[in-house]
Amino acid sequence: MTSPAFDTVIRGGTLATASEVVRADLGIRDGRIAAIGIGLPEGAQELDATGRLVLPGGVDTHCHIEQLSGGGLMNADTFETATRSAAFGGTTSVISFAAQHRGASLARTVEDYAALARKGAIIDYAFHLMVANPDAQTIATDLPALIQAGHRSVKVFMTYDAVQVDDQALLDVMLSAREAGALVCVHAENHGLLKWMGERLAKRGYTAPKYHAVSHPRAAEVEAFHRLIAFSELLDTPICIFHVSTAEGAAVIREARGRGVKIYAETCPHYLLMTAAELDRPGIEGAKWICSPPQRETADQEALWRALALGDLQILSSDHAPYRFDASGKLSAGANPPFKQIANGMPGLEMRMPMLFDAMVSRGRLGLSKFVELTATAPARIYDLPGKGALAIGFDADIVLWDPQKTVTLTDALHCNTGYNPFAGRSITGWPETVLRRGEIIVADGALRAEAGSGRLLLREAGEATRPTGRLAPEFDPARNFGAELY
Ligand code: DUC
Ligand code: ZN
Ligand code: ZN
């Protein structure tokens, strides 16, 4: 008897990619997509996808997992709980932060962080190298070596006392990353402005969670984007601007991209689907929704959707940053802390894909192919995640069978360790039913079927997004500067 042509055939479903939606079967062999077509021969395992969408697994390129915050607080998730939650939400690859702290070695930080991921991760993962101690060892030695070893993205904060880098250090990081071949990702808000506003509010007794939104003026985002883009242009360093929250911020990016500056940018479900009104709840409850930058206004949501449609923003990430609503997390500074002492962030890994499917497909914004592009294909391509983010021959069989009809009213129950769901109470249509990672079923019938530690580290080659444009700023052109070689 001959052995089956495939290990698994997903039969009778509707496949959706970033460019088309087609009825076809999909054959998997050795963890990879081996065939797409009608009437494929039988597989050792047959999955009936009648009435289901067959989508590439989600790729979430901005998640804080098992990470110590700037304020010294460990977030609520381990690799195991975070990636379990991701899997239940239809996400099969993540990029989280190997987060250096002041005084720490970047090389050691990555080693320690990789050990945590090896132990716990259930889905595949890569790291952003987060630089907060930009000393000579970090900039000249560790950063280039780690980038060349396959960690092809770097993260810096322009704000937060404990992790912020100043302009000179930012330039050092950007130049080092450019030379070694990495994309520089930035949390861009004007630090002085945030501190100044925060202090004025506190002095006047405006300490409730709703004032968190007031303490992050829109101008802080706009100013930092302009400064960062100026640096990017000067050094010809490609950048990715994280969590764009305002209409003006999106406009700044559009204008710079139009001039040929190499900028990628993301936004998150909470900027598209929430406003600052979430923070205005009785007592301290609004603390659950505190994140930075804060949620904005309805007009910003519209502008961000438009920016996604136009391609000004290319990625939808979660910015998963989970803290429990108790003394271990949001309330670590007491039962009724001023907003300044409340950890920033919300859980997002599990709800990113379902919330966006509901908005984009069930409610009709931008449609199914754009959903696939923004949540899987483009993030995998921009960050050079090998074999991820698409339904294509030879790619990893990271696949979600999605029930487009199922309506769910969300509760606080998630599979992470946060203990609440910022979208609880909403009803959404469309749900990830069965999830495959490299051809193995890891979620089915509401149960997890994968072991902690079965996720793999994804090392990356330098791809298109990391390549400078080749446009030399006049200040770096030796011919125009008395022969000075400044690169
Ligand atoms: N914003 C958050 O809300 N949490 C983590 C870090 C960040 O920038
Ligand atoms: Zn951030
Ligand atoms: Zn973040």
Side-chain angles (χ1 to χ4, degrees):
M1 205 176 105
T2 52
S3 54
F6 302 106
D7 301 326
T8 303
V9 173
I10 300 174
R11 199 175 293 283
T14 300
L15 276 56
T17 71
S19 55
E20 54 199 333
V21 178
V22 289
R23 293 292 295 272
D25 308 330
L26 184 149
I28 299 170
R29 198 182 308 121
D30 298 331
R32 301 226 165 116
I33 299 173
I36 294 173
I38 303 285
L40 291 184
E42 209 171 313
Q45 171 179 241
E46 291 272 323
L47 297 180
D48 179 9
T50 309
R52 301 293 179 262
L53 294 171
V54 180
L55 309 179
V59 176
D60 193 342
T61 51
H62 181 166
C63 355
H64 302 269
I65 298 176
E66 210 157 344
Q67 183 187 331
L68 208 56
S69 76
L73 206 61
M74 181 50 87
N75 74 31
D77 274 320
T78 61
F79 265 95
E80 183 176 354
T81 60
T83 57
R84 174 179 75 200
S85 174
F88 275 101
T91 286
T92 50
S93 304
V94 285
I95 311 185
S96 62
F97 299 88
Q100 183 190 39
H101 285 265
R102 296 261 158 84
S105 140
L106 185 60
R108 184 69 202 270
T109 298
V110 174
E111 244 175 70
D112 294 349
Y113 195 61
L116 298 175
R118 264 197 306 279
K119 179 165 155 253
I122 284 164
I123 61 173
D124 294 349
Y125 56 90
F127 305 140
H128 299 296
L129 304 169
M130 202 195 106
V131 175
N133 186 41
D135 59 2
Q137 174 72 27
T138 300
I139 300 295
T141 305
D142 289 2
L143 195 57
L146 289 161
I147 291 170
Q148 274 147 20
H151 305 292
R152 293 276 171 187
S153 47
V154 178
K155 157 81 182 290
V156 276
F157 279 103
M158 292 171 78
T159 186
Y160 289 129
D161 281 330
V163 287
Q164 175 229 9
V165 297
D166 65 16
D167 287 352
Q168 278 172 274
L170 177 55
L171 288 160
D172 283 340
V173 171
M174 289 175 79
L175 189 53
S176 178
R178 170 199 195 277
E179 285 173 346
L183 184 62
V184 177
C185 307
V186 185
H187 178 126
E189 290 185 281
N190 180 298
H191 185 59
L193 183 44
L194 300 192
K195 284 200 78 152
W196 189 82
M197 282 298 281
E199 278 162 24
R200 276 181 90 76
L201 286 159
K203 264 193 209 134
R204 288 163 171 73
Y206 298 122
T207 59
K210 63 186 173 189
Y211 295 109
H212 170 71
V214 185
S215 78
H216 283 246
R218 313 164 66 84
E221 175 162 300
V222 174
E223 187 283 329
F225 284 13
H226 274 301
R227 185 159 30 111
L228 174 65
I229 289 167
F231 291 0
S232 164
E233 208 163 2
L234 177 72
L235 300 178
D236 193 15
T237 301
I239 54 172
C240 182
I241 301 186
F242 272 178
H243 44 48
V244 178
S245 69
T246 63
E248 302 91 297
V252 171
I253 292 167
R254 179 170 179 75
E255 190 275 330
R257 282 173 57 86
R259 275 187 292 121
V261 189
K262 198 154 181 179
I263 304 173
Y264 301 91
E266 52 153 55
T267 190
C268 313
H270 43 283
Y271 303 114
L272 294 166
L273 304 172
M274 293 178 181
T275 67
E278 300 284 0
L279 298 165
D280 187 8
R281 293 168 190 256
I284 198 66
E285 182 77 6
K288 291 179 182 171
W289 284 266
I290 285 185
C291 62
S292 290
Q295 300 86 344
R296 306 286 184 180
E297 309 297 325
T298 310
D300 295 298
Q301 298 177 337
E302 290 305 318
L304 293 173
W305 283 118
R306 202 159 45 246
L308 290 162
L310 293 169
D312 304 334
L313 313 181
Q314 308 80 30
I315 296 175
L316 284 168
S317 73
S318 70
D319 198 1
H320 179 81
Y323 296 96
R324 294 183 66 79
F325 189 58
D326 64 24
S328 73
K330 293 277 185 186
L331 307 181
S332 65
N336 193 23
F339 72 80
K340 272 283 167 207
Q341 291 179 39
I342 296 172
N344 285 200
M346 296 184 293
L349 266 168
E350 190 164 336
M351 280 295 110
R352 181 185 70 120
M353 298 280 283
M355 291 309 302
L356 291 169
F357 184 94
D358 175 68
M360 298 178 72
V361 185
S362 307
R363 295 178 201 251
R365 283 226 192 231
L366 309 187
L368 182 54
S369 281
K370 198 75 180 166
F371 167 76
V372 171
E373 180 191 323
L374 292 165
T375 59
T377 309
R381 187 186 63 243
I382 290 167
Y383 287 103
D384 301 303
L385 293 172
K388 301 297 187 188
L391 300 181
I393 308 293
F395 271 50
D396 287 351
D398 292 350
I399 292 169
V400 186
L401 304 192
W402 200 282
D403 182 346
Q405 309 293 348
K406 182 169 173 173
T407 295
V408 176
T409 299
L410 302 172
T411 67
D412 276 323
L414 291 174
H415 295 85
C416 61
N417 199 26
T418 323
Y420 72 92
N421 177 355
F423 294 104
R426 301 190 192 208
S427 285
I428 60 172
T429 299
W431 198 252
E433 192 172 62
T434 304
V435 180
L436 288 83
R437 180 215 55 201
R438 285 181 268 108
E440 263 178 64
I441 295 178
I442 60 169
V443 173
D445 306 317
L448 184 72
R449 298 208 199 156
E451 297 291 317
S454 57
R456 284 190 191 154
L457 172 65
L458 301 167
L459 294 172
R460 303 175 272 149
E461 303 282 340
E464 168 51 32
T466 67
R467 267 178 224 122
T469 64
R471 291 195 322 187
L472 204 58
E475 294 82 354
F476 283 91
D477 182 354
R480 296 168 75 166
N481 291 292
F482 319 106
E485 290 280 358
L486 292 176
Y487 270 137

